[in-house]
Amino acid sequence: MRKLLNTLYVTTQGSYVHRDGETVVIEQEQKKILQVPVHMISSIICFGNVLCSPALLGFCAERGVSIAFLTEYGHFLASVHGPTSGNVLLRRNQYRMADSEESCRNISANIVAAKCANCRLILHRATRDHGEKIDTHSIKMASSSIERLIGQIDSASDTDAIRGIEGMAAAEYFAVFNQLIVDQKDAFIFNDRNRRPPLDPVNALLSFIYTLLVHDIRSALETVGLDPAVGFLHKDRPGRPSLALDIMEEFRPVIADRLVLSLINRRQVNPKGFSRAASGAITMDDETRKTVLVEYQKRKQEEIYHPYIEETVQIGLLFFIQANLMARFIRSDIDGYPPFFWR
């Protein structure tokens, strides 16, 4: 369990990562900066100009440690991992269910219901914690609209209809998201969700943390033997981890969005840490990126009660629990996929 919570992030440009016995070593300008036993980490994420030795790639593949390569600013490029784990019969069932409209509709309904409920929770906490600083009326109206949309999920005829409900709920949620920023409001303004590239600091933070989140969920799915590329809510697309994106929907509001709001409202990030490229994209500097990574890891160490398994677990293990529940459902060990509802 300790290993599953530990991701090694390499952000300094020009770093060299290699193997030394049973350890992973990071060097900068031929000086050893860090040496960590491989059994202590679950994955390595390299940002930008980071070189990994071939021996390290093979070593990590053998030990089940995935290595992901991202651009300096967090855009996913590629990943290296060992042989696919798990039972081939599990994956064959996954593919059959992904081809079934009824299965896709039922699983998508559960996921979208959880995402919408978790969005409402974020809005409710904002009115509770910052009621005197925000327009509580507009936030309550958005929450009521999302509640009505949740009520329409059961009667949705197919997966496309559920995607439409999810889109409308996201529009209601992000329409008031700027209200949830209660500090540094002049520098951190959110008008709408944009990406590829993000055009403001808030969207830059959201996109960056979403990338970290989907990496962790993808690793969890591979651990239990599922194919991250074959989902139910998100359609198949080459290079897209559709199942990881499916499960990420449950966690976007309560892990990623909430972390972004905390970073801004607690002044852990500031406008000087962001710059605009010639393309119009907003990028983070090294210090801001490191701050986000540290806080994300701290967040994963916090504990929360999981209502389905009825246990208190660390947040970083939720991805593995949900991946396991999805595998159990696909194997027909349980009657339906139980998404995670934040309490």
Side-chain angles (χ1 to χ4, degrees), residues 171-237:
E172 293 285 348
Y173 173 71
F174 281 121
V176 296
F177 194 76
N178 191 57
Q179 290 282 338
L180 310 185
I181 300 172
V182 297
D183 206 332
Q184 307 186 86
K185 291 185 70 69
D186 292 338
F188 292 93
I189 301 172
F190 181 89
N191 292 318
D192 55 26
R193 180 75 181 109
N194 54 72
R195 50 199 178 274
R196 302 188 189 95
L199 302 177
D200 59 73
V202 181
N203 274 291
L205 288 167
L206 288 171
S207 293
F208 186 70
I209 297 174
Y210 288 162
T211 299
L212 301 177
L213 198 55
V214 76
H215 169 271
D216 284 347
I217 295 170
R218 179 176 186 161
S219 296
L221 291 168
E222 290 172 344
T223 298
V224 301
L226 291 170
D227 187 340
V230 180
F232 305 100
L233 175 63
H234 291 82
K235 293 183 178 179
D236 293 350
R237 183 182 299 172

Side-chain angles (χ1 to χ4, degrees), residues 30-275:
Q30 298 184 337
K31 294 181 180 179
K32 185 186 297 184
I33 302 299
L34 179 69
Q35 185 167 8
V36 57
V38 71
H39 68 267
M40 295 297 294
I41 55 178
S42 62
S43 61
I44 301 171
I45 303 182
C46 303
F47 292 85
N49 180 26
V50 174
L51 178 64
C52 293
S53 72
L56 176 77
L57 298 178
F59 177 55
C60 288
E62 289 176 352
R63 298 308 181 90
V65 176
S66 64
I67 302 179
F69 297 92
L70 282 61
T71 67
E72 187 179 354
Y73 306 111
H75 179 69
F76 178 82
L77 295 174
S79 64
V80 178
H81 51 82
T84 301
S85 61
N87 192 324
V88 65
L89 299 179
L90 171 65
R91 295 190 294 278
R92 286 174 65 88
N93 280 343
Q94 178 188 356
Y95 302 147
R96 280 193 286 265
M97 292 179 70
D99 287 335
S100 164
E101 170 56 30
E102 180 181 2
S103 295
C104 288
R105 184 240 170 257
N106 293 339
I107 296 171
S108 297
N110 289 354
I111 290 171
V112 171
K115 178 185 179 180
C116 292
N118 291 338
C119 284
R120 293 188 70 232
L121 180 65
I122 296 298
L123 299 181
H124 289 169
R125 288 193 172 183
T127 57
R128 182 195 66 190
D129 297 339
H130 306 292
E132 72 286 355
K133 299 179 181 179
I134 59 179
D135 180 2
T136 56
H137 176 71
S138 63
I139 292 177
K140 289 179 179 178
M141 290 290 290
S143 178
S144 297
S145 296
I146 295 173
E147 184 178 22
R148 285 194 295 272
L149 289 167
I150 292 174
Q152 297 174 19
I153 293 175
D154 283 343
S155 58
S157 59
D158 54 29
T159 310
D160 282 338
I162 291 172
R163 292 188 187 104
I165 292 172
E166 188 276 331
M168 289 186 286
E172 293 285 348
Y173 173 71
F174 281 121
V176 296
F177 194 76
N178 191 57
Q179 290 282 338
L180 310 185
I181 300 172
V182 297
D183 206 332
Q184 307 186 86
K185 291 185 70 69
D186 292 338
F188 292 93
I189 301 172
F190 181 89
N191 292 318
D192 55 26
R193 180 75 181 109
N194 54 72
R195 50 199 178 274
R196 302 188 189 95
L199 302 177
D200 59 73
V202 181
N203 274 291
L205 288 167
L206 288 171
S207 293
F208 186 70
I209 297 174
Y210 288 162
T211 299
L212 301 177
L213 198 55
V214 76
H215 169 271
D216 284 347
I217 295 170
R218 179 176 186 161
S219 296
L221 291 168
E222 290 172 344
T223 298
V224 301
L226 291 170
D227 187 340
V230 180
F232 305 100
L233 175 63
H234 291 82
K235 293 183 178 179
D236 293 350
R237 183 182 299 172
R240 181 164 78 171
S242 296
L243 185 57
L245 293 173
D246 285 357
I247 293 181
M248 184 174 71
E249 296 295 345
E250 308 165 28
F251 296 112
R252 281 181 191 261
V254 289
I255 294 183
D257 300 354
R258 191 177 173 195
L259 178 56
V260 168
L261 293 170
S262 294
L263 288 167
I264 296 171
N265 291 335
R266 294 177 181 175
R267 294 182 173 264
Q268 292 171 292
V269 296
N270 62 74
K272 293 181 180 179
F274 299 84
S275 60

